């Protein structure tokens, strides 16, 4: 296998999610991208996409073997945090079993695996950013299934990188930014939780960080393939935007950007509330801060401040919101 990243054969699992759709463009310069999704038409023709239902475990194995990639990037995930409390079996298949299967196939093929995880593997205690070697303790089914997926990837023995991310949003898909805009278009007052802290991170930056890691791994360390590089410097990394905020402050910044971009809103007041004032089926971590130091030390990777990232992303978000895009 060549060390030239332009020659890589990259299989993306789950290319219609927030991160998956951004990966299509971010990874294209690295070689040949083969995209899969349960509903391929949702990629909107950005790249050829083949149908794959990840709950069909034999189909997952067959697809990997047929494509025979240099790199597998697993962007498929069950992310409905509250529904995971009752749909735990489905969440387990997608978040825990499928990553293990992909890692097992990657090991057999000798290819590299990139897999995404979450701040929800931690219990949200304390105030300092979580480091990769901190002990996980998820609060709910979503976090437990994602943690099980991490364990399955490691146990399979494949050359891998696990990227933990948090508070993801994009111009497409369902996320906090688009929910706030939709609510603010119809309401004059909103109540938003102010005691959960983290760093909002655009899916586009997660995708570009993935591309950066793959390029750095192949070029700067003389490895014969991404798998060789991941055996040297793989493992778990946190990839957050710089800075921190809470959901209330994030909402205020969303509305400020909306006014800059002339998005019509009715909102007049955004009131801060406590988590206890907004009960949900799944318990949320209060501290979702992630420490990105290790990714910077190993790959020179540092994402911008969350406010700058939101400002850069907002023209696409505004266009999507006006157009009613998914």
């Amino acid at each position: 296998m060549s060390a030239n990243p332009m020659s890589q054969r990259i299989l993306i699992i789950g290319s219609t999610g927030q991160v998956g759709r951004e990966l299509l463009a971010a990874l294209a310069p690295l070689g040949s991208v083969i995209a899969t999704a349960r509903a391929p038409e949702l990629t909107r023709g950005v790249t050829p996409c083949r149908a794959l239902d990840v709950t069909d475990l034999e189909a997952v194995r067959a697809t990997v073997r047929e494509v025979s990639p240099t790199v597998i990037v697993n962007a498929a995930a069950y992310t409905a945090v509250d529904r995971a409390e009752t749909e735990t079996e489905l969440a387990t298949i997608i978040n825990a079993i499928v990553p293990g299967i992909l890692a097992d196939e990657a090991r057999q093929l000798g290819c590299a695996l990139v897999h995404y995880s979450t701040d929800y593997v931690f219990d949200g205690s304390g105030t300092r950013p979580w480091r990769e070697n901190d002990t996980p303790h998820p609060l709910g089914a979503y976090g437990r299934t994602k943690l099980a997926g991490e364990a399955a990837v490691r146990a399979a023995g494949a050359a891998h990188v696990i990227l933990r991310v948090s508070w993801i949003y994009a111009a497409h898909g369902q996320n906090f930014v688009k929910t706030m805009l939709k609510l603010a278009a119809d309401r004059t007052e909103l109540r938003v939780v102010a005691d959960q802290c983290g760093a909002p991170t655009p899916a586009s930056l997660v995708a570009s960080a993935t591309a950066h890691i793959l390029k750095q791994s192949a070029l700067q360390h003389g490895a014969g393939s991404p798998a060789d590089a991941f055996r040297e410097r793989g493992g778990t990394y946190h990839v957050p935007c710089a800075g921190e905020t809470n959901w209330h402050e994030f909402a205020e910044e969303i509305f400020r950007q909306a006014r800059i971009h002339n998005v019509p809103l009715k909102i007049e007041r955004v009131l801060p509330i406590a988590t206890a004032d907004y009960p949900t089926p799944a318990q949320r971590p209060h501290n979702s801060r992630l420490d990105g130091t290790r990714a910077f030390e190993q790959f020179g990777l540092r994402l911008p401040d969350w406010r700058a990232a939101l400002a850069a992303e907002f023209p696409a978000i505004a266009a999507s919101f006006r157009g009613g895009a998914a």
Side-chain angles (χ1 to χ4, degrees), residues 2 18 119 130 147 169 179 201 203-204 245 251 304 323:
S2 169
Q18 292 187 105
D119 58 294
W130 293 97
L147 182 60
Y169 64 91
T179 297
T201 304
S204 60
T245 187

Side-chain angles (χ1 to χ4, degrees), residues 5-321:
M6 298 298 289
S7 69
Q8 302 308 321
R9 188 169 175 81
I10 304 167
L11 174 62
I12 301 176
I13 306 294
S15 60
T16 54
Q18 292 187 105
V19 173
R21 281 175 62 173
E22 298 293 346
L23 285 167
L24 297 176
L27 301 185
L30 276 65
S32 173
V33 172
I34 301 92
T36 70
R38 184 169 186 173
E41 66 277 6
L42 294 181
T43 60
R44 288 176 169 78
V46 174
T47 194
C49 185
R50 60 174 68 189
L52 176 64
D53 180 351
V54 295
T55 64
D56 184 341
L57 304 183
E58 287 307 311
V60 172
R61 288 191 183 275
T63 297
V64 175
R65 292 172 186 178
E66 179 186 345
V67 172
S68 190
T70 330
V71 183
I72 302 170
V73 183
N74 180 32
Y78 182 105
T79 58
V81 174
D82 288 324
R83 288 209 310 271
E85 297 298 314
T86 54
E87 296 182 353
T88 307
E89 182 178 356
L90 179 59
T92 299
I93 291 171
I94 298 172
N95 290 346
I97 296 175
V98 169
I101 288 173
L102 293 173
D104 182 57
E105 292 296 323
R107 177 186 55 79
Q108 294 184 59
L109 285 171
C111 72
L113 172 67
V114 178
H115 175 67
Y116 301 99
S117 191
T118 173
D119 58 294
Y120 274 69
V121 300
F122 298 112
D123 63 12
S125 60
T127 56
R128 72 161 174 81
W130 293 97
R131 303 178 185 124
E132 290 83 353
N133 60 356
D134 286 330
T135 302
H137 186 248
L139 299 174
Y142 169 64
R144 287 193 296 272
T145 60
K146 291 298 288 183
L147 182 60
E150 291 188 9
V153 168
R154 296 185 188 106
H160 69 272
V161 164
I162 296 170
L163 302 181
R164 289 183 182 142
V165 297
S166 65
W167 293 26
I168 300 298
Y169 64 91
H172 50 268
Q174 301 302 311
N175 54 68
F176 181 80
V177 176
K178 296 182 73 174
T179 297
M180 287 296 102
L181 290 175
K182 182 177 180 179
L183 292 174
D186 297 324
R187 302 183 189 181
T188 59
E189 181 177 291
L190 288 173
R191 292 153 51 87
V192 182
V193 170
D195 59 355
Q196 297 172 21
C197 296
T201 304
S204 60
L205 288 183
V206 175
S208 63
T210 303
H212 176 87
I213 287 171
L214 287 171
K215 287 187 286 188
Q216 291 295 311
S217 296
L219 292 176
Q220 290 193 356
H221 297 275
S225 71
D228 292 337
F230 282 8
R231 289 187 192 100
E232 293 178 9
R233 296 199 307 157
T236 304
Y237 294 89
H238 292 172
V239 184
C241 269
E244 64 179 69
T245 187
N246 58 60
W247 292 115
H248 174 265
E249 186 179 40
F250 187 23
E252 292 274 33
E253 186 64 16
I254 291 166
F255 300 146
R256 191 178 77 84
Q257 287 294 327
R259 295 183 185 101
I260 291 173
H261 292 275
N262 298 313
V263 176
L265 301 178
K266 292 183 179 179
I267 193 70
E268 297 174 0
R269 293 176 300 280
V270 186
L271 304 178
I273 62 171
T275 297
D277 296 326
Y278 187 73
T280 56
Q283 188 176 354
R284 265 70 172 170
H286 283 268
N287 175 21
S288 288
R289 303 169 180 90
L290 296 176
D291 188 331
T293 302
R294 184 169 185 251
F296 175 73
E297 291 174 347
Q298 292 293 325
F299 301 111
L301 182 64
R302 178 173 287 164
L303 302 191
D305 182 82
W306 70 270
R307 283 189 177 86
L310 178 62
E313 199 76 10
F314 212 87
I317 293 171
S320 172
F321 183 72

